[in-house]
Amino acid sequence: MKAFVYGGPGRMAVEDRPKPEVRAPGDAIVKMVQTTICGTDLHILKGDVATCSPGRVLGHEGVGVVDSVGAGVSNFRPGDRVLISCISSCGRCDYCRRGMFSHCTTGGWILGNEIDGTQAEYVRTPHADTSLYPIPAGADEEALVMLSDVLPTGFECGVLNGKVAPGSTVAIVGSGPIGLATLLGAQLYSPAEIIVIDRDDSRLEVARQFGATHTINSEVGTAAETVMTLTAGRGVDTVIEAVGVPATFSLCQDLVGPGGIIANIGVHGQKVDLHLERLWSRNIAITTRLVDTVSTPMLLKTVQAKKIDHKRLITHRFELARILEAYDTFGRAASTRALKVIITA
Ligand SMILES: NC(=O)c1ccc[n+]([C@@H]2O[C@H](COP(=O)([O-])OP(=O)(O)OC[C@H]3O[C@@H](n4cnc5c(N)ncnc54)[C@H](O)[C@@H]3O)[C@@H](O)[C@H]2O)c1
Ligand SMILES: [Zn+2]
Ligand SMILES: [Zn+2]
């Protein structure tokens, strides 16, 4: 089969690989139908993710058809159409029973990281019963690819951890696919204001189309002052960091109002300063989270009921044979205006 393989920092190739086989009773082999590229895949290609070794097939998102299952799989049969979660969970360990699937002792974020992933014709998915979801009848499968990672990430790490509430004020720093997915999820709770901040005007324009009440280009250098003006000098109730660099986490600390929450989503590769000398008295909270994908069943119902228009995140489509072109397009998002690129296997 064809597979997209990480070859070490800055190196990637489409290679011929043997079709994966069931190794453990809980495994399923899924024939990929559609997958996509995540900002985290770009982190891997830069060499930022130590757990991902050269030779790894990348990809942790997608939809497909079950090809075969191990003897211990009871929820799925060959031919079933499934959504693949970016997080594998056994459903039984201590962490899984607390709903913290991201820290499953035999799972977590392993696909396309510690084991071969979904940017291939077939993928082996461990703990299939609790890591795959049946695709509802009549669903738009391509759009469901947004439920493998981006929608649950924005919703759990941003909206839920940030306690977005009716009438509240929200700032989202970062208007990439994750920031935009957070913007879509936040609107389920009817906050009064959602201010989106980025340094890319075309992404800010998309944020306005997706429901941001205000957008600010942070390159101007006055984002914090503008937010203070918009909130009568108070700062916002929920600040969501959706970039993952020191400058943006620092900005979040300038935007949070008394009693507010900074909900971090970004994957950080460098140390970041925490200004407790200013924040200690402001009754704030800071949260971090690796997506658990516990909200996936709920989000599936929400998108089926058309309460979230997640298909708008898809901007480009490629065949698997042209995945290098897909990476190039996604990697140059500022000029190509790419958000999520769909890759058809
Ligand atoms: N916590 C989790 O479980 C989880 C899951 C998935 C992704 N992530 C992380 O979320 C982050 C966002 O993902 P994405 O796919 O949207 O990434 P992306 O790179 O597509 O988008 C980042 C956005 O930030 C903007 N930006 C970059 N530097 C900036 C700066 N200094 N000031 C203002 N804006 C700036 C860019 O213009 C871009 O629009 C990444 O760090 C990704 O690894 C975390
Ligand atoms: Zn991801
Ligand atoms: Zn577990």
Side-chain angles (χ1 to χ4, degrees):
M1 66 164 191
K2 295 262 175 282
F4 177 82
V5 178
Y6 167 61
R11 302 180 59 170
M12 59 188 112
V14 177
E15 291 182 7
D16 279 314
R17 287 291 181 96
K19 182 179 161 186
E21 288 171 358
V22 167
R23 283 195 217 162
D27 288 353
I29 305 301
V30 177
K31 183 178 192 326
M32 294 305 301
V33 174
Q34 272 145 346
T35 182
T36 183
I37 306 172
C38 177
T40 308
D41 296 324
L42 300 183
H43 281 297
I44 294 174
L45 288 173
K46 279 193 257 161
D48 286 350
V49 181
T51 45
C52 184
S53 317
R56 180 68 61 234
V57 177
L58 297 192
H60 50 262
E61 298 162 272
V63 292
V65 183
V66 175
D67 181 64
S68 58
V69 294
V73 175
S74 51
N75 294 349
F76 298 98
R77 285 181 307 189
D80 286 350
R81 303 192 76 88
V82 289
L83 166 70
I84 302 169
S85 174
C86 66
I87 300 292
S88 307
S89 57
C90 74
R92 295 189 186 132
C93 74
D94 236 34
Y95 292 120
C96 283
R97 296 190 73 164
R98 281 198 264 156
M100 215 198 298
F101 300 164
S102 60
H103 291 268
C104 173
T105 53
T106 54
W109 175 44
I110 53 174
L111 267 188
N113 174 18
E114 294 173 22
I115 64 170
D116 286 339
T118 57
Q119 291 166 8
E121 289 175 68
Y122 292 86
V123 64
R124 181 179 70 90
T125 56
H127 302 314
D129 273 344
T130 36
S131 310
L132 299 177
Y133 295 88
I135 292 186
D140 178 339
E141 288 190 8
E142 179 189 76
L144 282 193
V145 176
M146 304 303 110
L147 270 82
S148 290
D149 179 352
V150 284
L151 276 188
T153 294
F155 189 70
E156 295 172 14
C157 310
V159 179
L160 293 184
N161 274 24
K163 298 198 168 102
V164 174
S168 69
T169 51
V170 179
I172 301 172
V173 182
S175 187
I178 296 287
L180 291 168
T182 309
L183 172 60
L184 293 175
Q187 290 169 73
L188 295 172
Y189 289 89
S190 301
E193 310 281 353
I194 312 179
I195 305 162
V196 177
I197 301 168
D198 200 288
R199 59 180 183 190
D200 176 349
D201 279 326
S202 75
R203 285 199 158 172
L204 291 174
E205 188 189 313
V206 178
R208 285 192 294 277
Q209 290 160 12
F210 277 41
T213 54
H214 305 274
T215 58
I216 303 172
N217 189 320
S218 55
E219 290 291 276
V220 182
T222 51
E225 290 87 325
T226 310
V227 167
M228 287 305 153
T229 307
L230 288 169
T231 56
R234 291 181 181 177
V236 299
D237 301 316
T238 301
V239 194
I240 297 167
E241 203 284 347
V243 185
V245 298
T248 46
F249 191 79
S250 171
L251 177 61
C252 291
Q253 298 176 60
D254 295 334
L255 306 182
V256 66
I261 298 177
I262 299 174
N264 181 79
I265 306 178
V267 171
H268 290 265
Q270 288 177 51
K271 80 177 178 76
V272 179
D273 288 332
L274 177 62
H275 288 287
L276 279 179
E277 77 283 7
R278 281 193 275 120
L279 295 174
W280 73 268
S281 61
R282 293 175 71 80
N283 302 32
I284 66 142
I286 298 175
T287 64
T288 72
R289 188 167 185 175
L290 175 56
V291 63
D292 291 299
T293 66
V294 279
S295 65
T296 305
M298 182 279 278
L299 289 169
L300 270 165
K301 290 182 209 156
T302 312
V303 301
Q304 279 302 94
K306 299 195 176 357
K307 303 292 180 192
I308 297 183
D309 186 7
H310 53 307
K311 198 176 172 82
R312 302 160 83 177
L313 289 163
I314 300 168
T315 54
H316 293 72
R317 293 171 179 84
F318 297 88
E319 298 291 319
L320 181 62
R322 290 170 58 212
I323 191 168
L324 292 173
E325 220 176 299
Y327 264 91
D328 178 62
T329 302
F330 183 68
R332 292 186 297 110
S335 56
T336 61
R337 297 188 161 216
L339 291 171
K340 289 299 271 186
V341 302
I342 288 288
I343 295 153
T344 303

